[in-house]
Amino acid sequence: MLFRSFTLTPAEGKRLIAKAIASMEEVKNAYENGILIIATSTTTSYVAEELMGKELDKGMFTAGVVTHEGLGITKADGRSPHYAFEKGELKECSTPGLVPYLAKMGPDDVFIKGVNAIDPYGAAGILVHGPGGGTVGTAYGYLVRNGTQVILPAGLEKFVPVNLAEVVPLMGVNAIDKAMGWPCGMMLIQGMIFTEIDAFRQLFGVDAIPVAGGGIDGAEGSKIFIIEGENEAAEAAYACVADLKGEAVLKTSTMAKPAHLA
C-alpha cells in the first residue's frame, strides 16, 4: 500500500473529473447508443473535450459564470450552445432546443450539468438568473419524470459548509437588494455528484482524501490530497496528476450588468 500527496488546482481538478466521467460505461453507452446531453458549464466543457477528442473554447461553454468581479452572464457573441448527442451524432442546441431530446430521454440516457455548490448533506445547487430558471429550470422536470440519469460534476472548490436547503429561501433575483454582479436564485437538483474523490476511484480504484486547501500564485482554490492505494494504482494516479499539471486557467467574456440591477 502506498500513500501519495499532491495538489490539484481547480482547472486540473476539472480535467481529472472529465476524464473519469468520460470513462464511465453509462456515459459511453448513452453517447454511442442513446441520448447524452452535456449542458453548458465550465466543468462539462472538459467532459465534451474528453469525449469528442477536440479542444473547445471552454471559457465560453457557459451561460452564467463566476468571475473575479462577481456573478456574470456570458456574452451572447461567441457563447457556446449545449451539446446533445443522439447515437453519437452531435446537435448544438439552445435551451429550448433541448426539449425534444429531454422529452424522449429514459433511464439509459444521461444528462450532465455542472453545479455551483455542494453541501455536507448530499445536495447540489445551481445559481439561476434567467426567467424560468434557465437551463436547469427547463430540463429538470423532464429528467425527473423520465428517470434519466443525471451526473453533476463538481470540484471540491464548490463545497459549502451549510445546508443548501436553508440557503435557497434567502436568495432570488427579486430578493437580493444589491449584488456584485447579477443577483441570482438557487435551485437544488438531485443527481450523481461527482468530485475529484469519485474521479480517483473511477480511474484508478484508489481512495483520495482532501486534507487542505487554498493557495496563491495560481494555486488559488486548490485542494491538497492524500491518496491511498495498491502500489501500481497509486503510482498511476500520481503520474496522472503530474500530467495534468499546468492545465490552463479559463478565460471568458461577460455582459455588462444593466443599470436597473446596479
Side-chain angles (χ1 to χ4, degrees):
M1 191 73 70
L2 294 180
F3 295 85
R4 293 288 185 267
S5 173
F6 49 79
T7 300
L8 283 175
T9 68
E12 292 161 358
K14 291 175 191 289
R15 179 62 71 187
L16 177 76
I17 289 168
K19 287 181 177 294
I21 289 176
S23 76
M24 294 170 67
E25 287 302 319
E26 52 265 60
V27 172
K28 291 191 289 186
N29 179 63
Y31 178 59
E32 296 169 1
N33 305 309
I35 298 175
L36 169 68
I37 291 178
I38 301 179
T40 54
S41 67
T42 54
T43 309
T44 58
S45 68
Y46 289 82
V47 178
E49 281 193 339
E50 292 295 327
L51 282 171
M52 299 170 68
K54 70 175 188 179
E55 187 173 352
L56 304 175
D57 185 356
K58 295 183 288 298
M60 296 300 285
F61 197 81
T62 56
V65 66
V66 182
T67 73
H68 67 282
E69 295 179 338
L71 303 183
I73 296 177
T74 314
K75 284 184 177 178
D77 184 18
R79 181 194 298 175
S80 175
H82 308 291
Y83 284 2
F85 300 91
E86 188 165 17
K87 295 184 177 179
E89 182 176 344
L90 170 62
K91 177 70 174 179
E92 298 183 353
C93 299
S94 64
T95 293
L98 290 175
V99 170
Y101 295 95
L102 291 163
K104 57 184 176 180
M105 292 176 81
D108 293 329
D109 301 313
V110 175
F111 181 90
I112 305 177
K113 179 77 175 81
V115 301
N116 300 106
I118 54 176
D119 75 8
Y121 308 101
I126 298 177
L127 295 169
V128 292
H129 177 88
T135 303
V136 67
T138 298
Y140 196 47
Y142 289 99
L143 300 171
V144 173
R145 176 195 181 274
N146 295 342
T148 301
Q149 300 175 82
V150 178
I151 299 176
L152 307 171
L156 289 172
E157 59 169 323
K158 307 290 181 68
F159 178 80
V160 295
V162 296
N163 185 339
L164 286 175
E166 297 177 358
V167 170
V168 170
L170 306 178
M171 301 183 66
V173 171
N174 298 326
I176 294 173
D177 300 314
K178 194 172 186 179
M180 291 186 179
W182 297 67
C184 291
M186 177 174 281
M187 184 171 178
L188 300 189
I189 180 171
Q190 296 294 316
M192 179 192 294
I193 297 172
F194 200 97
T195 71
E196 295 93 337
I197 296 170
D198 303 291
F200 281 114
R201 188 176 298 116
Q202 166 70 21
L203 290 171
F204 307 107
V206 298
D207 292 324
I209 306 166
V211 296
I216 62 171
D217 194 26
E220 293 84 355
S222 293
K223 292 294 181 184
I224 296 86
F225 292 88
I226 297 288
I227 56 169
E228 178 184 3
E230 298 298 331
N231 293 16
E232 186 175 339
E235 289 286 9
Y238 192 86
C240 176
V241 173
D243 288 341
L244 296 178
K245 283 298 167 189
E247 183 73 40
V249 175
L250 298 186
K251 301 292 184 181
T252 192
S253 181
T254 56
M255 297 168 52
K257 189 164 112 174
H260 74 277
L261 291 178

